Amino acid sequence: MLEVSAAMSAKVLERFPAGAPRGSWPAEEYAAARRAQGEPAKVIMDLKSDAFLVVVQGCDDD
């Protein structure tokens, strides 16, 4: 349950289809570029939408 609640508090920066020919590479490259800019981005797999998501944990835009 902790993983679910943690994912729910994450801000999705970008989505990449899991069925793409290069797999997760585009998502990993995007996340690496964001990390190079100082943003703690990481890649997670969303099984429901069959996509790799680049997220930043704990973002509140209120």
Side-chain angles (χ1 to χ4, degrees):
M1 283 299 200
L2 283 177
E3 288 183 33
V4 171
S5 64
M8 291 177 70
S9 67
K11 176 182 177 186
V12 177
L13 301 176
E14 193 66 57
R15 298 174 181 270
F16 296 88
R22 295 180 62 216
S24 68
W25 288 6
E28 295 291 352
E29 290 170 350
Y30 184 84
R34 297 304 287 244
R35 286 191 298 270
Q37 295 175 354
E39 200 162 12
K42 70 177 192 175
V43 177
I44 62 170
M45 177 67 184
D46 180 14
L47 295 175
K48 192 171 189 175
S49 67
D50 195 31
F52 293 103
L53 309 178
V54 179
V55 300
V56 177
Q57 293 293 328
C59 287
D60 292 332
D61 291 338
D62 300 299

